[in-house]
Amino acid sequence: MTASAATLLRTAAELAGYAPDGDRAERAVVMTMGALHEGHASLIQTARAVVGPGGQVVVTVFVNPLQFGESADLDRYPRTLDADLAVAGAAGADVVFAPSVDEVYPGGEPQVRISAGPMGERLEGASRPGHFDGMLTVVAKLLHLTRPDVAFFGQKDAQQLALIRRMVRDLNFPVEIVGVETAREADGLALSSRNRFLDTHERRTALALSRALFAARDRLAAQQALHARAQTTGATENRAAGLSRLGEARLAADAQAVARARPDGGPAAVRAAARAILDDAAAEQPPLALDYLALVDPADFTEIPDDRTAGDAILAVAARVGTTRLIDNIPLTFGATA
């Protein structure tokens, strides 16, 4: 399709009547709060690829007041609808549905809301009480209004994605939820609408978030590579000791590292690798103020114990740099040796 500004619809009635070809083609939705960037564009492009040229891609732009704890944060959130229309259209969207607050909540704030449950009280939920209840409530409403076959969400908001998947499963929403890999700047910083609030020095400090995650990932990969060597070479502590007696200090150290390597790399070692980067950033000017660093089970966002030897995990981090709060995460798999 030729890139152009997407069609702007403001009301549920307009959206319900929108059908370019007169038929109900497969519909995908990408939900946003606007201020679209390349990360959002990646979601829209993925949606277009999935539904094909004959499908419909709807992008919602709605700054949801239920997700903001303080009115100042709500007022500060960037609103760039004209630019959003251009970005959405260029990425492959047919429609931008940008309803008013009164359109989404015609009777004022809803009395009945969706509860995020225990998972919604951890990490981001603990830092922002009520945030996930507000998020799930508006996502449920927008799913009803847009009636998609498939909905796309970014992996950067991993806890949000997990809660949406749980809501859809628990409440039998007839929609497929697809997570899309986090989009990053060339230097590793996760794309976010909030990045525009960082000045040059703050942005340099903020890079510690992604560097910490990558350091943890590399530590895990190194430990698992050593374990794979131990499996194939039969490295033992006795071999390391023998090399040491022969004066081969470097070979002995290598043999010892291989012999002691755990198949999972050790959750504690993964956390330590990330925390070392974050501790250094806390001493920078401006400093990074860590909110949390957590290695969690992607199913329920409970902490992974140090004795975990296998399975998937998410290493998540949140911190403030100046007045801007940023989050990031990376998926990890323990026990992989190939």
Side-chain angles (χ1 to χ4, degrees):
M1 61 182 292
T2 302
S4 61
T7 299
L8 175 63
L9 302 178
R10 288 289 200 171
T11 69
E14 290 174 342
L15 181 62
Y18 181 80
D21 301 317
D23 295 319
R24 172 75 162 89
E26 186 176 20
R27 176 178 284 180
V29 68
V30 175
M31 295 186 190
T32 82
M33 290 203 296
L36 302 189
H37 50 64
E38 285 302 313
H40 297 113
S42 176
L43 289 170
I44 299 166
Q45 289 161 359
T46 302
R48 172 52 66 195
V50 169
V51 302
Q56 296 178 20
V57 177
V58 177
V59 175
T60 66
V61 172
F62 181 66
V63 182
N64 180 30
L66 302 188
Q67 291 175 232
F68 291 83
E70 298 180 6
S71 59
D73 289 337
L74 175 61
D75 294 340
R76 187 185 184 213
Y77 197 88
R79 291 155 171 87
T80 58
L81 184 57
D82 288 343
D84 294 343
L85 287 167
V87 171
D94 298 294
V95 171
V96 168
F97 178 50
S100 66
V101 173
D102 288 340
E103 181 72 18
V104 177
Y105 304 122
E109 290 195 3
Q111 296 299 302
V112 176
R113 308 187 188 193
I114 291 179
S115 169
M119 195 194 329
E121 298 172 356
R122 300 173 186 134
L123 300 188
E124 284 300 291
S127 298
R128 305 164 68 187
H131 167 75
F132 285 127
D133 290 357
M135 178 276 295
L136 289 178
T137 298
V138 80
V139 167
K141 292 200 66 149
L142 290 173
L143 286 175
H144 286 310
L145 291 170
T146 59
R147 298 176 294 111
D149 301 288
V150 58
F152 295 82
F153 296 88
Q155 294 277 9
K156 185 176 81 71
D157 296 299
Q159 193 173 2
Q160 169 180 285
L161 175 59
L163 282 163
I164 291 169
R165 281 178 165 151
R166 188 61 189 247
M167 177 186 73
V168 164
R169 182 170 68 251
D170 287 354
L171 301 184
N172 299 103
F173 279 71
V175 61
E176 179 186 359
I177 303 299
V178 175
V180 178
E181 185 178 354
T182 300
R184 298 183 181 276
E185 300 278 7
D187 57 12
L189 186 67
L191 286 170
S192 170
S193 301
R194 299 179 184 273
N195 290 352
R196 69 185 65 200
F197 298 132
L198 300 170
D199 66 25
T200 302
H201 302 294
E202 290 170 340
R203 195 180 189 287
R204 184 186 62 235
T205 296
L207 289 174
L209 273 71
S210 56
R211 287 194 293 108
L213 297 177
F214 298 157
R217 179 193 61 191
D218 293 346
R219 176 66 176 270
L220 177 60
Q223 287 294 305
Q224 292 180 158
L226 286 172
H227 179 74
R229 281 179 58 194
Q231 297 293 95
T232 57
T233 65
T236 64
E237 295 276 2
N238 288 338
R239 180 171 181 273
L243 288 168
S244 181
R245 287 193 295 271
L246 292 172
E248 298 288 350
R250 291 180 62 185
L251 290 175
D254 179 70
Q256 188 174 64
V258 171
R260 292 181 177 179
R262 295 177 56 182
D264 61 337
V270 166
R271 291 185 180 95
R275 187 167 289 277
I277 303 293
L278 298 170
D279 286 347
D280 286 344
E284 294 286 342
Q285 290 300 324
L288 181 142
L290 183 65
D291 187 346
Y292 62 75
L293 172 69
L295 184 66
V296 298
D297 188 322
D300 58 9
F301 275 68
T302 55
E303 283 279 352
I304 296 289
D306 284 347
D307 60 357
R308 172 70 65 87
T309 59
D312 293 332
I314 290 175
L315 184 63
V317 62
R320 285 189 181 275
V321 182
T323 61
T324 303
R325 187 174 185 276
L326 300 170
I327 63 172
D328 201 353
N329 70 84
I330 194 169
L332 300 172
T333 300
F334 288 87
T337 57

